[in-house]
Amino acid sequence: MKILSTLLLGLFGAGHAQAANNCTIALKGDDAMKFDLKEVTVSASCPTITVQLSHPGKMPAAAMGHNVVIAATKDMDAITRDGIKAGLPNNYVNKADPRVIASTKVIGGGEKTSANFPGKKLIAGGDYTFFCSFPGHSMLMKGKLVVTK
Ligand SMILES: [Cu+2]
């Protein structure tokens, strides 16, 4: 029993060490208007952070489209409001908005997309949120982006 718990501790320890240097934000957004994760941890020391989004649903982008926007939590509401004005042709993001740290295009069921940004755009310990800026979705489709050094 003692050996087993030591082994488990070892596994958990390794898992945490890996998470500390994570450079990928991988999310799924489905027809139920949900992301599969509520929290993702990335490192500000990553030269490049990759945002990966897949939509395992069936509904088209115009009806149940999803994107991923990375921003400071305090900017989420304003970015979402401006994104609605920008519309679907602009992926519900105002491209000139300096508050948007990163964003993917809007995809529908069966599609995948990704976007990259430098880790240095994030500050370790900062208050960041990932969310979908499709109108009405950020109420449910959001999560905490934890940033380590
Ligand atoms: Cu969405």
Side-chain angles (χ1 to χ4, degrees):
M1 233 18 225
K2 184 105 198 243
I3 294 168
L4 181 62
S5 57
T6 308
L7 261 175
L8 282 172
L9 267 175
L11 282 173
F12 268 97
H16 277 286
Q18 232 170 13
N21 291 315
N22 184 40
C23 298
T24 304
I25 299 167
L27 296 164
K28 290 191 182 90
D30 62 13
D31 284 346
M33 208 197 291
K34 275 188 196 148
F35 282 131
D36 60 329
L37 300 174
K38 286 275 161 214
E39 187 176 305
V40 177
T41 300
V42 289
S43 168
S45 61
C46 295
T48 301
I49 294 175
T50 304
V51 184
Q52 298 173 342
L53 174 66
S54 65
H55 189 323
K58 292 200 160 47
M59 293 172 73
M64 186 52 76
H66 302 309
N67 66 0
V68 178
V69 178
I70 309 292
T73 300
K74 65 175 171 56
D75 294 332
M76 182 179 82
D77 289 343
I79 289 170
T80 303
R81 276 198 302 274
D82 290 349
I84 291 169
K85 284 183 218 154
L88 181 57
N90 292 305
N91 297 295
Y92 294 114
V93 172
N94 173 2
K95 282 178 205 156
D97 191 338
R99 297 168 301 193
V100 174
I101 294 169
S103 66
T104 71
K105 66 175 192 167
V106 171
I107 58 169
E111 295 182 299
K112 282 182 183 174
T113 189
S114 67
N116 296 318
F117 68 100
K120 66 182 178 204
K121 281 184 138 184
L122 301 171
I123 297 163
D127 185 5
Y128 300 98
T129 295
F130 62 83
F131 60 94
C132 173
S133 68
F134 191 102
H137 286 200
S138 64
M139 302 269 280
L140 289 171
M141 297 190 75
K142 64 180 171 187
K144 186 175 173 59
L145 184 68
V146 177
V147 181
T148 59
K149 279 186 186 167

